[in-house]
Amino acid sequence: MLGQPWALFIVFLINLFGTIYGYWWYKDQLAITPAHFYLFVPDSPTASLFFLFVLAMFFVRKNWPLMEAFAAVTLIKYGIWAVVMNMAAGVAGTSLNWQHYMLIFSHLGMAVQALLYAPYYRIKVWHLVVVAIWTLHNDVIDYVFGMHPWVAGSLHEFVPHIGYFTFWLSILSLTTVYLVAIRSKSVKIEL
């Protein structure tokens, strides 16, 4: 069902609006970001932008495996990251409003769609290696150079911990994509 044109169109529209809104969400942070870091700041909308390219290829019954790897890993990573950061902000004392809950559910959807479309991916190990370099480099930019997405004030004292969590979330995301998009297709089940 997910590969049907009408389903692809709906998922494409949701991601298109989410991507536009996501880049708008980062406008204040981008306004004070040095230009050479632009590519590494708006993490979630860039992840959904990667997925828009994947969906566009699916419309024409083609695959772009490197972009599929970028989309899958970053959708899982930043989807889970945003859910955890918003929930952690609430636990740390931030009063959660409708925007926090919208971010929790929309980012959870990012991670879920990456997994739902895994059977359609044609990712190879080398694609995942390229994405691993990008993803871990992005973690360094975020937490060594201080370009990480802004977090609630109640979490500021925990930024080093968030960086550590983010590194392991990158590893988890890469491993998950390997298991669902590469390893599962190479394992033959005998009945």
Side-chain angles (χ1 to χ4, degrees), residues 11 15-17 28 34 38 41 45 47 71 75-76 93 102 110 115 138-139 147 159 165 168 173 182 186:
V11 174
N15 280 274
L16 177 63
F17 291 122
D28 294 333
Y38 281 169
V41 171
L75 286 171
I76 292 168
M102 179 272 298
M110 287 171 57
L115 296 173
N138 196 7
D139 290 346
M147 296 293 120
V159 167
F165 164 75
W168 284 107
S173 301
I182 298 173
S186 64

Side-chain angles (χ1 to χ4, degrees), residues 123-135:
I123 300 169
K124 295 190 180 341
V125 172
W126 78 265
H127 300 124
L128 211 51
V129 169
V130 171
V131 175
I133 293 167
W134 163 275
T135 303

Side-chain angles (χ1 to χ4, degrees), residues 5 28 32 34 54 57-58 64 66 70 89 100 105 114-115 118-119 130 134 136 140 146 149 156 161 180 187-188:
D28 294 333
I32 61 169
V54 170
M57 295 304 288
F58 287 171
W64 187 358
L66 182 58
F70 270 106
H100 293 101
F105 290 112
L115 296 173
V130 171
W134 163 275
L136 296 172
V140 171
H156 284 175
H161 300 90
V180 301
V187 175
K188 293 183 178 162

Side-chain angles (χ1 to χ4, degrees), residues 123-184:
I123 300 169
K124 295 190 180 341
V125 172
W126 78 265
H127 300 124
L128 211 51
V129 169
V130 171
V131 175
I133 293 167
W134 163 275
T135 303
L136 296 172
H137 174 73
N138 196 7
D139 290 346
V140 171
I141 297 298
D142 282 356
Y143 295 98
V144 173
F145 293 96
M147 296 293 120
H148 60 82
W150 288 347
V151 295
S154 61
L155 296 178
H156 284 175
E157 67 181 289
F158 302 107
V159 167
H161 300 90
I162 294 169
Y164 184 73
F165 164 75
T166 303
F167 167 78
W168 284 107
L169 184 57
S170 293
I171 301 301
L172 175 68
S173 301
L174 289 159
T175 302
T176 300
V177 172
Y178 171 76
L179 293 173
V180 301
I182 298 173
R183 175 95 172 125
S184 67

Side-chain angles (χ1 to χ4, degrees), residues 24-157:
W24 178 83
W25 179 270
Y26 275 96
K27 70 183 181 318
D28 294 333
Q29 186 172 356
L30 287 169
I32 61 169
T33 298
H36 59 282
F37 289 128
Y38 281 169
L39 193 57
F40 302 101
V41 171
D43 298 323
S44 295
T46 301
S48 58
L49 179 64
F50 292 153
F51 195 55
L52 284 172
F53 292 131
V54 170
L55 292 170
M57 295 304 288
F58 287 171
F59 276 122
V60 295
R61 305 256 184 241
K62 301 225 183 266
N63 285 84
W64 187 358
L66 182 58
M67 190 58 62
E68 292 165 10
F70 270 106
V73 170
T74 58
L75 286 171
I76 292 168
K77 176 184 175 181
Y78 297 117
I80 293 171
W81 187 91
V83 169
V84 171
M85 289 306 111
N86 279 282
M87 292 173 66
V91 170
T94 298
S95 179
L96 300 184
N97 59 35
W98 70 269
Q99 286 182 324
H100 293 101
Y101 292 109
M102 179 272 298
L103 290 170
I104 288 169
F105 290 112
S106 63
H107 283 78
L108 181 61
M110 287 171 57
V112 169
Q113 74 183 354
L115 296 173
L116 289 175
Y117 278 92
Y120 298 95
Y121 303 149
R122 300 296 175 258
I123 300 169
K124 295 190 180 341
V125 172
W126 78 265
H127 300 124
L128 211 51
V129 169
V130 171
V131 175
I133 293 167
W134 163 275
T135 303
L136 296 172
H137 174 73
N138 196 7
D139 290 346
V140 171
I141 297 298
D142 282 356
Y143 295 98
V144 173
F145 293 96
M147 296 293 120
H148 60 82
W150 288 347
V151 295
S154 61
L155 296 178
H156 284 175
E157 67 181 289

